[in-house]
């Protein structure tokens, strides 16, 4: 069991590992954690990789290119496992093809902070709380051409970090709605001199929605609205050997905290002015509000590289690299992953090595996913 002081510490770890004043933080940051082992094994990327049952988080437009009638995906991600054993992210996904051109999907992400013991003073017998957060998603994807699809998604978000009420503070669970808009391009197989190849491009504008707040009359918090885009290429050497290389870029579409009054410090008055920015204004301000100009805007992009080698579509080896500016959170890590497929079932594993001076809460953590691909096969070429 843990004490109350762990709550703010854990919430800080979710969003950044830096003490810089201009690190962008948001509510419900669990939405940005890679929830499946395949994407995690490639450096937390999936916007332009091949379709799988976990595409809902990364790019739901990929479901229109699914090669089986339906798929089910389940995953488990321990969090801060080296110091706490009951914090984890659980993820369940289901998709179904409606016809050759369209598909729908639903998913649930559930983040639990475990059991926390709360005390007002040393001799207080204490009360137990089980704070948690969840996101329930639905999406519809449609091929607009043989090589391009788009999708729209809706998300219900609930962040139940409510603690037993003290004094006159009226704490409550925070709920919100958000939408996603995504696109995916998948070329036909192209014959080159010594191999065949296939291009993929994708984007996902996710978590578009208004602010949420936990306390009646308290401050509102931005959702982690995010722009994700990337590209990939498959080297198809023969029927048994395929190597996919991928790259991906991300930017939070949330305004940058800054010194509005010019007193040399980001204080409570600056925070009040920051909170007055609406979601819609913040969406557009996020592309040009960094105090140090364009050079700082570029630092607000994260980027990653990933690779996946498949042998006979039965054994997969993966690796990836993720980088974030030291001034904007300092998340830097390498990942390794593997997958094993037997008939309609696939098991994936991933492992993360932090390369930052600041410790990553997911390092030395083994993540698991299992996928079931069922029903009729579809040919997308």
């Amino acid at each position: 069991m843990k004490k109350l002081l762990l709550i703010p510490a854990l919430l800080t770890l979710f969003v950044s590992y830096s003490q810089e004043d201009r690190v962008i933080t948001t509510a419900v940051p669990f939405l940005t954690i890679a929830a499946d082992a395949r994407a995690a094994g490639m450096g937390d990327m999936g916007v332009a990789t091949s379709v799988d049952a976990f595409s809902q988080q990364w790019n739901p437009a990929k479901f229109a290119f699914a090669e089986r009638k339906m798929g089910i995906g389940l995953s488990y991600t321990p969090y801060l496992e080296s110091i706490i054993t009951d914090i984890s992210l659980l993820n369940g996904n289901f998709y179904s093809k409606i016809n050759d051109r369209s598909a729908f999907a639903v998913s649930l992400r559930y983040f639990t902070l475990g059991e926390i013991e709360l005390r007002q003073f040393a001799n207080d017998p204490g009360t137990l709380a089980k704070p948690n957060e969840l996101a329930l998603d639905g999406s519809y994807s449609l091929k607009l051409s043989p090589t391009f699809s788009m999708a729209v998604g809706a998300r219900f978000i609930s962040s139940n970090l409510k603690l037993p009420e003290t004094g006159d503070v009226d704490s409550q669970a925070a709920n919100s709605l958000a939408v996603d808009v995504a696109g995916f391009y998948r070329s036909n197989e192209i014959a080159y001199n010594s191999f065949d190849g296939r291009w993929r491009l994708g984007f996902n504008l996710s978590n578009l929605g208004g602010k949420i707040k936990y306390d009646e009359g308290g401050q509102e918090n931005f959702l982690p609205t995010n722009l994700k885009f990337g590209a990939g290429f498959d080297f198809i050497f023969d029927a048994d050997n395929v190597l996919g290389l991928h790259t991906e870029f991300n930017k939070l579409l949330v305004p940058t905290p800054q010194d509005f009054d010019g007193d040399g410090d980001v204080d409570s008055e600056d925070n009040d002015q920051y909170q007055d920015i609406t979601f819609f204004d913040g969406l557009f301000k996020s592309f040009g509000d960094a105090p140090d100009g364009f050079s700082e805007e570029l630092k607000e992009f994260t980027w990653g590289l990933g690779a996946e080698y498949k042998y006979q579509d039965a054994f997969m080896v993966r690796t990836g690299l993720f980088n974030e500016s030291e001034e904007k959170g300092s998340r830097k890590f390498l990942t390794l992953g593997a997958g094993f497929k037997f008939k309609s079932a696939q098991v994936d594993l991933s492992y993360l090595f932090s390369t930052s001076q600041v410790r990553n809460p997911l390092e030395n953590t083994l993540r698991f996913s299992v996928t079931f691909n069922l029903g009729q096969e579809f040919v997308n070429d």
Side-chain angles (χ1 to χ4, degrees):
M1 290 189 287
K2 284 74 65 178
K3 294 184 179 180
L4 178 57
L5 290 177
L6 277 176
I7 292 180
L10 293 173
L11 294 179
T12 301
L13 282 169
F14 297 159
V15 290
S16 74
Y17 318 107
S18 168
Q19 298 302 314
E20 296 292 333
D21 287 337
R22 295 205 292 262
V23 172
I24 299 174
T25 61
T26 70
V28 292
F30 81 100
L31 293 176
T32 65
I33 301 173
D36 68 282
R38 183 192 178 214
M42 290 187 284
D44 286 10
M45 67 175 58
V47 73
T49 57
S50 59
V51 62
D52 60 24
F54 298 100
S55 297
Q56 184 87 325
Q57 178 180 6
W58 306 102
N59 187 343
K62 296 195 295 184
F63 285 124
F65 288 90
E67 297 177 351
R68 298 294 292 269
K69 168 64 177 176
M70 65 182 65
I72 300 171
L74 302 170
S75 68
Y76 170 72
T77 300
Y79 204 82
L80 288 170
E81 188 178 36
S82 61
I83 58 175
I84 299 172
T85 59
D86 58 355
I87 297 181
S88 62
L89 175 64
L90 306 176
N91 184 27
N93 297 260
F94 172 80
Y95 79 83
S96 178
K97 296 273 284 191
I98 300 171
N99 51 46
D100 184 56
R101 297 182 58 232
S102 62
F104 74 90
V106 294
S107 72
L108 174 66
R109 278 173 281 174
Y110 179 79
F111 190 81
T112 173
L113 282 162
E115 190 175 84
I116 299 176
E117 184 176 327
L118 308 172
R119 290 191 175 98
Q120 298 296 325
F121 47 86
N123 296 325
D124 189 340
T127 58
L128 296 180
K130 296 182 179 180
N132 60 78
E133 299 179 301
L134 65 86
L136 179 63
D137 300 9
S139 69
Y140 172 78
S141 56
L142 175 68
K143 284 185 185 178
L144 303 181
S145 76
T147 58
F148 181 72
S149 65
M150 290 196 71
V152 292
R155 175 170 301 110
F156 170 73
I157 304 164
S158 179
S159 181
N160 185 13
L161 302 181
K162 181 177 180 180
L163 302 176
E165 297 180 4
T166 59
D168 58 358
V169 178
D170 183 17
S171 298
Q172 61 183 11
N175 299 313
S176 185
L177 296 174
V179 298
D180 296 354
V181 179
F184 183 63
Y185 169 79
R186 177 184 183 269
S187 76
N188 294 320
E189 194 170 311
I190 304 169
Y192 294 94
N193 289 334
S194 57
F195 60 89
D196 292 347
R198 188 191 303 277
W199 289 95
R200 293 186 179 88
L201 302 171
F203 75 88
N204 188 12
L205 186 57
S206 61
N207 299 316
L208 288 162
K211 298 180 182 180
I212 64 175
K213 61 182 178 180
Y214 292 90
D215 300 330
E216 190 67 31
Q219 78 172 28
E220 295 179 316
N221 300 275
F222 287 98
L223 294 178
T225 304
N226 186 74
L227 173 62
K228 188 190 309 285
F229 57 94
F233 183 79
D234 285 347
F235 293 87
I236 306 172
F237 300 110
D238 53 45
D240 293 335
N241 298 276
V242 179
L243 174 64
L245 300 179
H246 312 278
T247 186
E248 187 169 303
F249 300 86
N250 291 270
K251 187 182 191 305
L252 278 174
L253 303 186
V254 177
T256 305
Q258 52 194 283
D259 180 15
F260 290 101
D261 56 18
D263 64 358
D265 187 26
V266 179
D267 52 28
S268 59
E269 292 183 4
D270 296 311
N271 183 63
D272 290 340
Q273 190 169 344
Y274 181 79
Q275 294 302 324
D276 288 339
I277 302 173
T278 65
F279 151 71
F280 191 74
D281 287 341
L283 187 68
F284 293 99
K285 285 179 180 291
S286 65
F287 289 101
D289 66 344
D292 289 343
F294 183 68
S295 62
E296 185 175 350
E297 289 292 345
L298 290 179
K299 293 177 182 178
E300 293 182 354
F301 282 84
T302 65
W303 58 266
L305 300 171
E308 179 180 53
Y309 169 72
K310 294 184 180 181
Y311 177 69
Q312 293 186 344
D313 198 30
F315 174 68
M316 288 72 71
V317 177
R318 308 180 183 103
T319 189
L321 168 68
F322 182 93
N323 184 80
E324 181 177 58
S325 169
E326 293 180 1
E327 298 176 17
K328 295 296 179 177
S330 196
R331 288 176 298 163
K332 302 172 186 290
F333 53 81
L334 295 169
T335 62
L336 294 176
F340 309 89
K341 188 174 182 180
F342 179 74
K343 295 185 178 179
S344 62
Q346 179 173 322
V347 176
D348 295 299
L349 310 171
S350 70
Y351 195 82
L352 182 149
F353 302 88
S354 178
T355 59
S356 172
Q357 293 183 348
V358 182
R359 187 171 184 178
N360 190 303
L362 287 167
E363 64 183 299
N364 303 321
T365 296
L366 191 63
R367 292 186 258 187
F368 301 87
S369 296
V370 59
T371 306
F372 301 94
N373 297 299
L374 310 169
Q376 172 188 353
E377 292 190 13
F378 291 83
V379 177
N380 289 296
D381 288 323

